[in-house]
Amino acid sequence: MQFLVYIIAYPFLWFVSILPFPIFYALSDVIYFLIYHVIGYRKKTVRSNLALALPHLSEEERKVIEKKFYQHFCDMFLEMAKTMTISEEEINKRFVITNPELVTEYEQKGKSIMLLASHYASWEWLLALNKKLSFQGVGVYKKLANKYFDKLVIDIRSKYNTKLVVTRETIPLIANNQRKGILSMYGMASDQSPKNDRIIHWGNFMGIDVPVHTGAEVLAKKYDLTVLFAKVEKVKRGYYQATLIPLTDEPKSIPNFEITNQFIKEVEKQIHEAPEYYFWTHKRWKHRR
């Protein structure tokens, strides 16, 4: 059944990926109409999240953000398909790193890097950064249930010099790289809600006490990794830019959970600047106190 789903879906995804951008985004507009106005995908969750995170806004203001979010949501997932065939030249034009010299600076220090990102704007095209590294790029991801789509994702991201590892493989990989002196940049999107049995720290996110992932901080401290935050912004439709923000070069000297709290504050800044580009369909505030 998995293979059947894959061979049915793959031709559509490939066809979408080769569409000229004007037609590509016209298709996104059609999908937006269906997802938002006809199906109403996760509308209840999105509205609840917006009300929790942005209570200072009126219902009408949140409704505007809601519609803009769904438009971006459809763009973003089609852009993931576009990654299948987009050229390196095109993605470099559409996803710009504003301060690439910072990467070179940290590479010259001879320390591996923990790159934190959020589910904001375009985290998929952030892979373009790995083409600018002499380091090995490693992305921590959640394995897809369909093994054929999982392999497709791995193949796509490997084009950008990215090695994908699931969570349980992260510590052995970092430990092995450290022993062998293999310098790497480890990318994690750490803004989603951890499972109940993995809660060890609560932080204030958008004015609400919620459990937060601390794995990136724990690894940074254990292996003395430089910690950077990738602030991604949507410049206009189909165009993004990312600015690398140093959080710490000496993680072992930082009090416990301070790096995690810094990361949360950076994500908050993104949301306040343009809330329509955050991933509101995820139940980020399902555990709160």
Side-chain angles (χ1 to χ4, degrees), residues 83-145:
T83 313
M84 294 171 65
T85 57
I86 194 170
S87 69
E88 185 175 341
E89 180 184 4
E90 187 70 37
I91 200 168
N92 285 337
K93 183 174 72 175
R94 290 176 172 272
F95 195 101
V96 175
I97 311 299
T98 64
N99 55 342
E101 69 282 353
L102 191 66
V103 175
T104 305
E105 178 185 328
Y106 279 108
E107 284 181 327
Q108 290 173 348
K109 291 183 178 180
K111 287 176 62 174
S112 288
I113 296 169
M114 176 65 71
L115 180 69
L116 296 179
S118 64
H119 290 88
Y120 185 92
S122 175
W123 58 91
E124 185 72 19
W125 283 3
L126 186 58
L127 292 170
L129 173 62
N130 289 330
K131 283 285 190 176
K132 306 181 189 307
L133 297 174
S134 62
F135 282 17
Q136 178 187 75
V138 178
V140 180
Y141 85 117
K142 185 176 180 179
K143 193 169 186 176
L144 301 180

Side-chain angles (χ1 to χ4, degrees), residues 118 120 229-232 266-275:
S118 64
Y120 185 92
F229 173 70
K231 179 184 178 182
V232 182
E266 292 296 340
V267 179
E268 280 189 348
K269 290 177 190 176
Q270 285 183 304
I271 295 172
H272 284 302
E273 286 173 8

Side-chain angles (χ1 to χ4, degrees), residues 11-288:
F12 172 75
L13 295 174
W14 181 83
F15 174 73
V16 168
S17 77
I18 64 171
L19 289 174
F21 277 100
I23 300 174
F24 179 85
Y25 285 114
L27 175 62
S28 181
D29 289 338
V30 172
I31 294 174
Y32 159 72
F33 179 82
L34 294 173
I35 292 291
Y36 182 73
H37 293 286
V38 179
I39 300 172
Y41 175 73
R42 292 207 170 193
K43 241 185 214 185
K44 191 173 180 180
T45 297
V46 171
R47 286 179 181 172
S48 174
N49 283 342
L50 286 170
L52 282 168
L54 304 170
H56 58 288
L57 298 181
S58 68
E59 188 174 338
E60 291 75 18
E61 289 172 317
R62 290 198 296 268
K63 188 71 173 289
V64 171
I65 293 169
E66 177 186 301
K67 289 182 177 180
K68 287 182 178 179
F69 160 71
Y70 275 98
Q71 289 170 332
H72 168 69
F73 179 78
C74 294
D75 282 359
M76 181 183 60
F77 277 97
L78 284 189
E79 286 165 359
M80 288 181 179
K82 194 71 172 173
T83 313
M84 294 171 65
T85 57
I86 194 170
S87 69
E88 185 175 341
E89 180 184 4
E90 187 70 37
I91 200 168
N92 285 337
K93 183 174 72 175
R94 290 176 172 272
F95 195 101
V96 175
I97 311 299
T98 64
N99 55 342
E101 69 282 353
L102 191 66
V103 175
T104 305
E105 178 185 328
Y106 279 108
E107 284 181 327
Q108 290 173 348
K109 291 183 178 180
K111 287 176 62 174
S112 288
I113 296 169
M114 176 65 71
L115 180 69
L116 296 179
S118 64
H119 290 88
Y120 185 92
S122 175
W123 58 91
E124 185 72 19
W125 283 3
L126 186 58
L127 292 170
L129 173 62
N130 289 330
K131 283 285 190 176
K132 306 181 189 307
L133 297 174
S134 62
F135 282 17
Q136 178 187 75
V138 178
V140 180
Y141 85 117
K142 185 176 180 179
K143 193 169 186 176
L144 301 180
N146 187 307
K147 65 181 181 181
Y148 301 101
F149 281 114
D150 190 67
K151 184 180 183 304
L152 176 63
V153 169
I154 291 172
D155 290 344
I156 290 171
R157 295 180 179 179
S158 66
K159 293 193 308 180
Y160 297 94
N161 300 334
T162 303
K163 176 184 177 66
L164 292 187
V165 295
V166 294
T167 306
R168 69 176 180 276
E169 298 171 348
T170 308
I171 293 177
L173 176 69
I174 296 178
N176 182 64
N177 285 350
Q178 293 286 99
R179 281 195 303 272
K180 294 182 176 179
I182 300 173
L183 296 174
S184 303
M185 176 181 279
Y186 306 98
M188 289 189 181
S190 301
D191 56 318
Q192 294 187 315
S193 183
K195 294 180 179 178
N196 274 329
D197 59 351
R198 296 181 183 175
I199 297 173
I200 63 172
H201 176 60
W202 292 73
N204 189 281
F205 181 49
M206 300 300 291
I208 304 164
D209 282 337
V210 293
V212 291
H213 282 288
T214 57
E217 175 176 336
V218 170
L219 291 172
K221 284 177 172 287
K222 183 173 182 178
Y223 296 105
D224 193 30
L225 309 176
T226 294
V227 185
L228 304 179
F229 173 70
K231 179 184 178 182
V232 182
E233 301 168 274
K234 189 168 187 175
V235 179
K236 61 181 180 178
R237 196 173 202 184
Y239 291 85
Y240 303 87
Q241 65 180 26
T243 302
L244 303 177
I245 299 174
L247 296 187
T248 181
D249 195 25
E250 300 292 340
K252 293 183 178 182
S253 68
I254 306 295
N256 287 340
F257 308 124
E258 185 60 32
I259 296 172
T260 300
N261 291 338
Q262 280 183 274
F263 164 67
I264 290 173
K265 294 304 176 189
E266 292 296 340
V267 179
E268 280 189 348
K269 290 177 190 176
Q270 285 183 304
I271 295 172
H272 284 302
E273 286 173 8
E276 60 267 32
Y277 302 135
Y278 191 59
F279 197 44
W280 295 106
T281 51
H282 179 68
K283 295 182 179 179
R284 181 62 188 89
W285 291 273
K286 63 183 175 182
H287 306 303
R288 58 183 186 273

